[in-house]
Amino acid sequence: MSQAEQILTELGIRPTAIRLMVLRDIIEYDRTFTLADMEQRMVTLDRSTLFRTLMLFVEHKLLHEVDNGSGSRLFCRCECHHKHHHTPHIHFTCMACNETYCIKNIDVTGISHPEGYEVEEINIVMKGICPKCKKK
């Protein structure tokens, strides 16, 4: 069983050929992406099939959406592979190249929340200049 097939099976997602193809691409790409990014890389799939597949992955916590303030729907792969677990991490949006990066080596699990509130998701976006653009 391939890595992609195992991930889908563990999450209760039927591993169809399209879902496997999309997941393999997401694993290989390994950064935030938009539906348009996926369309450019997967030209054999129509937009609606691709969108439904991405939303299924979001529903099963394989992907999560990132709100970086751009108005575009960004997706990021969740690497924990558990149905009800999402490892929170920071995203960094470069104001020069507009790329959004997952910053996974900063622990945000210790952030406190108001008493009486149940936190379901943490979305932290830092903005600035990425190392690549800083070198220019």
Short mmCIF file of all heavy atoms in Angstrom, two decimals, residues 20-46:
data_model
loop_
_atom_site.label_atom_id
_atom_site.label_comp_id
_atom_site.label_asym_id
_atom_site.label_seq_id
_atom_site.Cartn_x
_atom_site.Cartn_y
_atom_site.Cartn_z
N LEU A 20 -6.01 9.77 -4.96
CA LEU A 20 -4.60 9.38 -4.80
C LEU A 20 -3.69 10.31 -5.60
O LEU A 20 -2.65 10.74 -5.10
CB LEU A 20 -4.40 7.93 -5.23
CG LEU A 20 -4.98 6.88 -4.29
CD1 LEU A 20 -5.00 5.51 -4.96
CD2 LEU A 20 -4.21 6.83 -2.98
N MET A 21 -4.08 10.64 -6.81
CA MET A 21 -3.29 11.53 -7.66
C MET A 21 -3.16 12.91 -7.02
O MET A 21 -2.08 13.49 -6.96
CB MET A 21 -3.94 11.64 -9.04
CG MET A 21 -3.13 12.45 -10.02
SD MET A 21 -3.74 12.34 -11.73
CE MET A 21 -5.42 12.91 -11.58
N VAL A 22 -4.27 13.43 -6.50
CA VAL A 22 -4.26 14.76 -5.86
C VAL A 22 -3.40 14.72 -4.60
O VAL A 22 -2.56 15.60 -4.39
CB VAL A 22 -5.70 15.24 -5.55
CG1 VAL A 22 -5.69 16.50 -4.70
CG2 VAL A 22 -6.48 15.48 -6.83
N LEU A 23 -3.57 13.71 -3.77
CA LEU A 23 -2.80 13.63 -2.53
C LEU A 23 -1.31 13.48 -2.81
O LEU A 23 -0.48 14.12 -2.15
CB LEU A 23 -3.29 12.48 -1.64
CG LEU A 23 -2.54 12.32 -0.32
CD1 LEU A 23 -2.53 13.62 0.50
CD2 LEU A 23 -3.14 11.18 0.49
N ARG A 24 -0.95 12.67 -3.78
CA ARG A 24 0.48 12.53 -4.12
C ARG A 24 1.08 13.86 -4.54
O ARG A 24 2.20 14.19 -4.19
CB ARG A 24 0.65 11.48 -5.23
CG ARG A 24 0.48 10.08 -4.74
CD ARG A 24 0.71 9.05 -5.85
NE ARG A 24 0.38 7.72 -5.37
CZ ARG A 24 -0.54 6.93 -5.93
NH1 ARG A 24 -1.20 7.32 -7.00
NH2 ARG A 24 -0.79 5.75 -5.42
N ASP A 25 0.31 14.64 -5.30
CA ASP A 25 0.79 15.95 -5.72
C ASP A 25 0.94 16.88 -4.52
O ASP A 25 1.92 17.62 -4.43
CB ASP A 25 -0.17 16.56 -6.74
CG ASP A 25 0.38 17.86 -7.31
OD1 ASP A 25 1.29 17.79 -8.16
OD2 ASP A 25 -0.09 18.93 -6.88
N ILE A 26 -0.01 16.85 -3.60
CA ILE A 26 0.06 17.70 -2.40
C ILE A 26 1.28 17.33 -1.56
O ILE A 26 2.00 18.20 -1.08
CB ILE A 26 -1.24 17.57 -1.57
CG1 ILE A 26 -2.41 18.22 -2.32
CG2 ILE A 26 -1.07 18.18 -0.18
CD1 ILE A 26 -3.77 17.91 -1.73
N ILE A 27 1.52 16.04 -1.39
CA ILE A 27 2.68 15.58 -0.61
C ILE A 27 3.98 16.04 -1.26
O ILE A 27 4.90 16.53 -0.60
CB ILE A 27 2.66 14.04 -0.44
CG1 ILE A 27 1.51 13.63 0.48
CG2 ILE A 27 3.99 13.53 0.09
CD1 ILE A 27 1.24 12.13 0.51
N GLU A 28 4.05 15.93 -2.58
CA GLU A 28 5.26 16.31 -3.31
C GLU A 28 5.47 17.82 -3.28
O GLU A 28 6.58 18.31 -3.15
CB GLU A 28 5.14 15.84 -4.75
CG GLU A 28 6.39 16.04 -5.57
CD GLU A 28 6.22 15.50 -6.97
OE1 GLU A 28 5.93 14.30 -7.11
OE2 GLU A 28 6.39 16.29 -7.92
N TYR A 29 4.39 18.59 -3.40
CA TYR A 29 4.46 20.06 -3.44
C TYR A 29 4.89 20.62 -2.09
O TYR A 29 5.68 21.53 -2.01
CB TYR A 29 3.10 20.61 -3.87
CG TYR A 29 3.13 22.05 -4.32
CD1 TYR A 29 3.91 22.45 -5.39
CD2 TYR A 29 2.35 23.00 -3.67
CE1 TYR A 29 3.91 23.77 -5.81
CE2 TYR A 29 2.34 24.32 -4.09
CZ TYR A 29 3.13 24.68 -5.16
OH TYR A 29 3.12 26.00 -5.56
N ASP A 30 4.33 20.10 -1.01
CA ASP A 30 4.72 20.41 0.37
C ASP A 30 4.82 21.90 0.71
O ASP A 30 5.80 22.35 1.27
CB ASP A 30 6.03 19.70 0.71
CG ASP A 30 6.26 19.66 2.22
OD1 ASP A 30 5.26 19.55 2.96
OD2 ASP A 30 7.41 19.76 2.67
N ARG A 31 3.80 22.67 0.34
CA ARG A 31 3.70 24.07 0.75
C ARG A 31 2.26 24.51 0.59
O ARG A 31 1.43 23.76 0.10
CB ARG A 31 4.64 24.95 -0.04
CG ARG A 31 4.50 24.81 -1.54
CD ARG A 31 5.59 25.53 -2.26
NE ARG A 31 5.15 26.88 -2.56
CZ ARG A 31 5.55 27.53 -3.64
NH1 ARG A 31 6.39 27.00 -4.47
NH2 ARG A 31 5.10 28.74 -3.86
N THR A 32 1.93 25.71 1.01
CA THR A 32 0.56 26.18 0.85
C THR A 32 0.27 26.36 -0.63
O THR A 32 1.17 26.60 -1.44
CB THR A 32 0.33 27.52 1.58
OG1 THR A 32 1.20 28.49 1.05
CG2 THR A 32 0.51 27.38 3.08
N PHE A 33 -1.01 26.22 -0.98
CA PHE A 33 -1.39 26.32 -2.39
C PHE A 33 -2.84 26.74 -2.50
O PHE A 33 -3.61 26.62 -1.55
CB PHE A 33 -1.17 24.97 -3.10
CG PHE A 33 -1.94 23.83 -2.48
CD1 PHE A 33 -3.23 23.53 -2.92
CD2 PHE A 33 -1.39 23.08 -1.46
CE1 PHE A 33 -3.94 22.49 -2.35
CE2 PHE A 33 -2.11 22.04 -0.87
CZ PHE A 33 -3.38 21.74 -1.32
N THR A 34 -3.19 27.23 -3.67
CA THR A 34 -4.57 27.60 -3.98
C THR A 34 -5.15 26.58 -4.95
O THR A 34 -4.42 25.76 -5.52
CB THR A 34 -4.64 28.99 -4.63
OG1 THR A 34 -3.96 28.93 -5.89
CG2 THR A 34 -4.03 30.07 -3.75
N LEU A 35 -6.44 26.67 -5.17
CA LEU A 35 -7.09 25.82 -6.17
C LEU A 35 -6.45 26.08 -7.54
O LEU A 35 -6.19 25.15 -8.31
CB LEU A 35 -8.59 26.10 -6.20
CG LEU A 35 -9.41 25.37 -7.25
CD1 LEU A 35 -9.30 23.86 -7.08
CD2 LEU A 35 -10.87 25.81 -7.17
N ALA A 36 -6.16 27.35 -7.84
CA ALA A 36 -5.54 27.70 -9.13
C ALA A 36 -4.16 27.05 -9.27
O ALA A 36 -3.81 26.59 -10.36
CB ALA A 36 -5.44 29.22 -9.27
N ASP A 37 -3.39 27.00 -8.19
CA ASP A 37 -2.08 26.32 -8.22
C ASP A 37 -2.25 24.86 -8.61
O ASP A 37 -1.52 24.33 -9.44
CB ASP A 37 -1.38 26.38 -6.86
CG ASP A 37 -0.97 27.78 -6.44
OD1 ASP A 37 -0.72 28.62 -7.32
OD2 ASP A 37 -0.91 28.02 -5.21
N MET A 38 -3.24 24.21 -7.99
CA MET A 38 -3.49 22.80 -8.27
C MET A 38 -3.95 22.61 -9.72
O MET A 38 -3.54 21.65 -10.37
CB MET A 38 -4.53 22.22 -7.32
CG MET A 38 -4.07 22.07 -5.89
SD MET A 38 -2.73 20.89 -5.68
CE MET A 38 -3.59 19.36 -5.97
N GLU A 39 -4.78 23.51 -10.20
CA GLU A 39 -5.26 23.42 -11.59
C GLU A 39 -4.10 23.48 -12.58
O GLU A 39 -4.10 22.76 -13.58
CB GLU A 39 -6.24 24.55 -11.90
CG GLU A 39 -7.61 24.35 -11.34
CD GLU A 39 -8.52 25.50 -11.70
OE1 GLU A 39 -8.28 26.62 -11.22
OE2 GLU A 39 -9.45 25.26 -12.49
N GLN A 40 -3.12 24.32 -12.30
CA GLN A 40 -1.97 24.44 -13.19
C GLN A 40 -1.12 23.17 -13.19
O GLN A 40 -0.54 22.81 -14.21
CB GLN A 40 -1.11 25.64 -12.79
CG GLN A 40 -1.73 26.96 -13.10
CD GLN A 40 -0.89 28.12 -12.62
OE1 GLN A 40 0.15 27.95 -11.98
NE2 GLN A 40 -1.34 29.34 -12.91
N ARG A 41 -1.04 22.51 -12.04
CA ARG A 41 -0.21 21.30 -11.94
C ARG A 41 -0.96 20.05 -12.39
O ARG A 41 -0.35 19.07 -12.75
CB ARG A 41 0.27 21.13 -10.50
CG ARG A 41 1.26 22.21 -10.08
CD ARG A 41 1.99 21.88 -8.81
NE ARG A 41 1.22 21.31 -7.74
CZ ARG A 41 0.57 22.00 -6.81
NH1 ARG A 41 0.58 23.30 -6.82
NH2 ARG A 41 -0.10 21.38 -5.85
N MET A 42 -2.29 20.08 -12.30
CA MET A 42 -3.08 18.89 -12.61
C MET A 42 -4.06 19.22 -13.73
O MET A 42 -5.27 19.22 -13.54
CB MET A 42 -3.80 18.41 -11.36
CG MET A 42 -2.87 18.25 -10.18
SD MET A 42 -3.55 17.25 -8.89
CE MET A 42 -3.12 15.65 -9.49
N VAL A 43 -3.54 19.46 -14.89
CA VAL A 43 -4.34 19.94 -16.03
C VAL A 43 -5.35 18.90 -16.52
O VAL A 43 -6.31 19.25 -17.22
CB VAL A 43 -3.45 20.40 -17.20
CG1 VAL A 43 -2.65 21.63 -16.80
CG2 VAL A 43 -2.52 19.29 -17.66
N THR A 44 -5.19 17.64 -16.16
CA THR A 44 -6.13 16.61 -16.62
C THR A 44 -7.42 16.57 -15.80
O THR A 44 -8.38 15.92 -16.19
CB THR A 44 -5.48 15.21 -16.58
OG1 THR A 44 -5.06 14.94 -15.23
CG2 THR A 44 -4.29 15.12 -17.52
N LEU A 45 -7.44 17.27 -14.66
CA LEU A 45 -8.64 17.29 -13.80
C LEU A 45 -9.42 18.58 -14.00
O LEU A 45 -8.83 19.65 -14.11
CB LEU A 45 -8.25 17.16 -12.33
CG LEU A 45 -7.63 15.85 -11.88
CD1 LEU A 45 -7.32 15.91 -10.39
CD2 LEU A 45 -8.54 14.69 -12.19
N ASP A 46 -10.73 18.47 -13.98
CA ASP A 46 -11.54 19.69 -14.09
C ASP A 46 -11.63 20.35 -12.72
O ASP A 46 -11.44 19.73 -11.68
CB ASP A 46 -12.93 19.38 -14.66
CG ASP A 46 -13.77 18.53 -13.72
OD1 ASP A 46 -13.68 17.29 -13.81
OD2 ASP A 46 -14.50 19.11 -12.90
#
